[in-house]
Amino acid sequence: MGPTLINGIPAHVLFVHVVVVLVPLTALALLACAVWPQQARRFGPTLPVLAAVTLVSVPITTHAGEWLKHHVANDPLVRQHAELGDGLLPWVVGLFALAVALWWTQRRTRAASQADTAAVDEEVRPGARARGALRVAAVVLSLALGAGAVVQTYRIGDSGARAAWHDNFSTTRTPEPGSR
């Protein structure tokens, strides 16, 4: 599915940085576009493209992580990290689906608004209440999916750091060679 080593370094430890940046960025962009429709117009297709890149990065990172799991000592912390990692994909699929739906709805709403040039007041326009309800639903869903994805990303990262660093450092400073 993707590389497992990059310049002799396990690809997972490099790819994870992409996920750690893109998941919160996608969640934030999605929320901004749901709350402010003018922001969604500015973003245009960039929002679903960002969400798609985020979506693709998760299984690539997970695949590289599975490879790494089989090339390190059997450790319960590594197993826990891998199990948590498997839980991110549904959240990111949700972010992607909502990003596409928001973009598509924004396109259709803009087209409908341009066709209805006679109505001046938003409350008078046909379908204004339905659009308002959709907007509230988009805001609530983007908050829930964004928070879930970011929290899951944090949990995965925390467990990965614990798996990588437990018993691999000292809480006291080690003397430098040649010093007393």
Side-chain angles (χ1 to χ4, degrees):
M1 174 179 269
T4 53
L5 289 172
I6 298 175
N7 288 336
I9 297 172
H12 178 73
V13 299
L14 301 171
F15 292 158
V16 74
H17 294 87
V18 174
V19 173
V20 166
V21 170
L22 289 183
V23 169
L25 182 64
T26 302
L28 188 59
L30 181 62
L31 181 60
C33 289
V35 171
W36 297 290
Q38 66 273 21
Q39 199 64 29
R41 283 189 290 276
R42 277 192 207 119
F43 266 75
T46 304
L47 179 62
V49 168
L50 174 64
V53 171
T54 304
L55 177 59
V56 168
S57 71
V58 170
I60 290 172
T61 303
T62 304
H63 170 73
E66 285 295 323
W67 178 88
L68 182 59
K69 180 175 84 170
H70 297 294
H71 290 84
V72 297
N74 189 9
D75 185 334
L77 292 175
V78 171
R79 285 193 307 275
Q80 178 190 23
H81 173 66
E83 288 171 11
L84 286 171
D86 290 338
L88 183 59
L89 189 58
W91 290 106
V92 178
V93 167
L95 289 176
F96 173 72
L98 187 56
V100 170
L102 191 65
W103 170 73
W104 182 257
T105 303
Q106 184 59 39
R107 279 188 60 209
R108 295 190 45 90
T109 302
R110 184 173 48 216
S113 295
Q114 290 171 350
D116 186 25
T117 55
V120 176
D121 188 14
E122 177 70 27
E123 295 301 316
V124 184
R125 289 184 186 159
R129 286 192 179 177
R131 284 191 299 275
L134 278 174
R135 185 169 161 213
V136 168
V139 169
V140 169
L141 278 172
S142 65
L143 269 171
L145 287 170
V150 168
V151 166
Q152 186 67 9
T153 301
Y154 170 80
R155 292 177 64 216
I156 295 164
D158 181 63
S159 71
R162 289 179 192 282
W165 289 101
H166 78 285
D167 297 334
N168 286 329
F169 71 97
S170 172
T171 56
T172 60
R173 185 175 178 176
T174 57
E176 294 181 25
S179 67
R180 290 185 159 178

